[in-house]
Amino acid sequence: MQKRLARLRQQLADQPFDGLLVVKPENRRYISGFTGTAGCLLVTAEDAVLITDFRYTEQAQEQAPDFHVVQHGTSAPETIRSELIRLGIKRLGFEKDYLTYGLYSTYLEKFAPVELVPAEGIVEKLRAVKDEEEIAILRQAAKLADDAFSHILGYLKPGVSERDVALELEFFMRRQGAASSSFDIIVASGVRSSLPHGVASGKLLEKGDFVTLDFGALYQGYCSDITRTVVLGEATEKQREIYEIVLEAQLHALQHIKPGMTGQEADALARDIIREKGYGDHFGHSLGHGLGLYIHEEPRLSAVSNDVLQPGMVVTVEPGIYIPGFGGVRIEDDVLLTDSGIERLTGSSKDLFIL
Ligand code: GLY
Ligand code: MN
Ligand code: MN
């Protein structure tokens, strides 16, 4: 954590404010180590203060030894204000994409004459490149997802509901040490598989269905995210055709993604193949996203992303084709950017499972 605080301070040196208020939970945890659900950090060139309430004071002292922990009473803004005065902060940076308008208005009034300066993505940029400790946890989170996929293959059959499949996946991952799913599990079968984010419903699996399973584990605070699509019973020609195109696009992207590329260039690796085969209009989402304390984070692998890929980033690669009234396919893996290319973190087979 000390290294993270030091890296943050390097970033702060170039900013037009003399202290940063960190409120976003993942950012707060990343910089301080504190996992509680309430509290904020005040970070300056010399000081690091964690302000939280009675429920979390003891935990914060244990988890965030590099921070001076201050307990607030009934009014958190009052305590923040006292700390701003104590630390001599005149211009306070705040997370512009996180603070609500309500809190901003309160702070504006309470903290005057301290000036509020919008700060953008400072901690998020640091979080995009993972350290060794994070990579080790992400590997385990990915393995949990792989193990859950192997497990669920024996559970998929006609007559089982999408919701039961989701529940079984979640039970399995939690029994293996996950705190929860990393997002609402997607089980989209039959025509529902054309819904890219078809969260599990009461629909029963039927013979001939495509079944898209998109899920992940939240393990020691970190998210994994895998998608596989299988067929129940015989696959039709059309199902095979679509599956093969998505697979070709995904494998091509995995083979060629490397550091130095922009998110846009990475996205094009898969998108160009899908477009050439005539399905460009049916791949309406981006190729992937960073993965870490939060399920969707920097960098973005999309047609408009200028993010530059760097070693240590962990991203998903997840092309898909979705045809309303017919169904859809997505194949998603988690990968670590290395010095020369990638290392796959999820390793489940991508043969078209016909169950
Ligand atoms: N289900 C969220 C994602 O794959 O990005
Ligand atoms: Mn996913
Ligand atoms: Mn994803």
Side-chain angles (χ1 to χ4, degrees), residues 183 186 197 214 225 227 289 295-296 318 330 332:
F183 56 91
I186 292 167
H197 273 192
D214 183 354
D225 186 9
T227 307
H289 52 88
I295 184 70
H296 296 134
E318 50 178 307
R330 177 166 65 258
E332 174 177 30

Side-chain angles (χ1 to χ4, degrees), residues 15 27 32 36 61 81 115-116 119 130 140 143 164 198-199 212-213 221 228 241 260 273 283 288 294 304 320 324 336:
Q15 299 295 329
N27 290 348
S32 71
Q61 282 163 343
R81 181 173 172 275
E115 198 181 327
L116 291 178
K130 272 64 188 178
Q140 294 184 60
K143 178 165 188 312
D164 278 341
V199 167
T212 296
L213 305 154
R228 290 293 183 268
E241 180 206 337
I273 290 176
F283 175 24
Y294 196 58
V304 294
L336 166 68

